[in-house]
Amino acid sequence: MRLSDLKAVNEARSRRRMCAVVTPLDGSPGRVVFAEDAATDPLANILAARFASAKSGREAEAGVFVRIHRPSPRLVIIGAVHVSQTLAPMAEAVGFEVTIVDPRGAFATEERFGAFNLIAEWPDEELLKLDRETAVTTLTHDPKIDDPALMAALKADCFYIGALGSRKTHAKRVDRMTAAGFGREAIDRIHAPIGLPIGAASPPEIAVSVLAEVIAALRGAETRVAPQRQAA
C-alpha cells in the first residue's frame, strides 16, 4: 500500500468513515474509495455490495481485491427503560459500542445499567455526535425526548433509525417531522413500529426484535427479512 493510501485509511478510521482499498491483481497501484464516493466509482456495483456486507474479498472478473475498513458500529439508545436493560447487553455482545441517553434521573441510573455509557441529559445533535455507522433507537414514548434524537439521526444519515410506538403514534410523529421540515423520503427511513414482526410482547422480546432489525440494516439484509416494511 502506498503511504498516501495508508494515511487516508488511518484518517478514515480516526473520523469513523468507512472506506475500501481497491488493489489490482496485476500489481499496479491501488486506490482508496470512501463509502460516500462509491456511487461514482467505476466499480460502483461491486463496492456497494462490499460496503453493505462489510466483507473484504477478491473480485476475479474486475481483477481486484477489495479490503473493507469499517468503524465499529455504535448503538445509541434513547430511553433508559426496561427494553433498554436487555437491548444494551445483547448489542454489546454482538460488537456494538452502546450509549444510553435519558434525561430522567429516576431511570438513568448506574443501578439499572451498570457500567454502560449512560448520559443523563437531553439528547440533541451536539450531544449525540452521530454518524453513518451509528444506529439510533428511541424508546421513551415521549416526543420531547425522542424527536430531537430522531431529527439528529436523520441529519447524520444513521444506518438505522427506529422508534417505539404504535402506527397511530407514528402518524403523529410524521406530522411533527414534516412540520420540522423533513421530507417524506427522510421520514420513511424511520422504522416504526420498531423491530422485526416476531410477535414480541415482553420488554426482553421487544429488545430481541429491535436488535435483529438493527443487525439486518447493518448487514444490508433488510429487504430479505422485512420486505413488508419496504413496501409500506
Side-chain angles (χ1 to χ4, degrees):
M1 182 187 295
R2 296 178 301 187
L3 181 59
S4 58
D5 289 345
L6 179 60
K7 288 182 177 178
V9 170
N10 287 337
E11 183 177 353
R13 286 174 174 166
S14 67
R15 297 190 176 189
R16 290 183 50 80
R17 297 175 66 192
M18 185 188 287
C19 68
V21 177
V22 180
T23 305
L25 300 178
D26 62 6
S28 56
R31 67 184 191 281
V32 176
V33 181
F34 294 99
E36 58 267 34
D37 301 329
T40 57
D41 191 273
L43 300 178
N45 291 337
I46 289 174
L47 290 172
R50 289 289 174 186
F51 280 128
S53 67
K55 293 180 179 178
S56 302
R58 176 175 175 158
E59 297 286 351
E61 289 190 9
V64 298
F65 186 91
V66 180
R67 183 172 299 283
I68 299 295
H69 295 268
R70 183 172 198 171
S72 299
R74 296 169 58 200
L75 173 62
V76 175
I77 303 172
I78 306 299
V81 297
H82 286 118
V83 173
S84 310
Q85 288 180 290
T86 303
L87 178 58
M90 288 198 307
E92 185 180 63
V94 295
F96 284 85
E97 298 175 8
V98 178
T99 296
I100 304 161
V101 183
D102 196 324
R104 300 169 299 183
F107 293 89
T109 65
E110 185 175 335
E111 289 74 18
R112 285 164 54 83
F113 290 93
F116 281 103
N117 182 25
L118 187 62
I119 303 174
E121 297 183 34
W122 290 88
D124 58 28
E125 196 171 338
E126 183 176 355
L127 174 73
L128 298 177
K129 293 182 171 52
L130 304 173
D131 58 40
R132 299 178 65 179
E133 302 304 319
T134 299
V136 174
T137 61
T138 62
L139 307 176
T140 74
H141 285 296
D142 186 340
K144 297 192 302 297
I145 302 174
D146 289 347
D147 284 6
L150 291 172
M151 293 176 190
L154 289 172
K155 290 178 182 177
D157 196 22
C158 292
F159 78 85
Y160 175 88
I161 307 167
L164 192 66
S166 66
R167 295 188 186 280
K168 183 177 179 181
T169 297
H170 186 59
K172 295 178 181 177
R173 182 183 295 123
V174 169
D175 289 342
R176 295 194 300 274
M177 292 292 160
T178 301
F182 290 94
R184 188 71 208 191
E185 184 176 354
I187 296 171
D188 282 348
R189 293 203 59 233
I190 301 173
H191 293 70
I194 195 171
L196 292 183
I198 62 173
S202 67
E205 290 177 351
I206 294 171
V208 170
S209 73
V210 171
L211 183 58
E213 192 169 60
V214 171
I215 293 173
L218 177 69
R219 300 304 180 196
E222 282 186 293
T223 55
R224 297 197 296 273
V225 299
Q228 75 283 4
R229 195 186 301 284
Q230 301 300 317

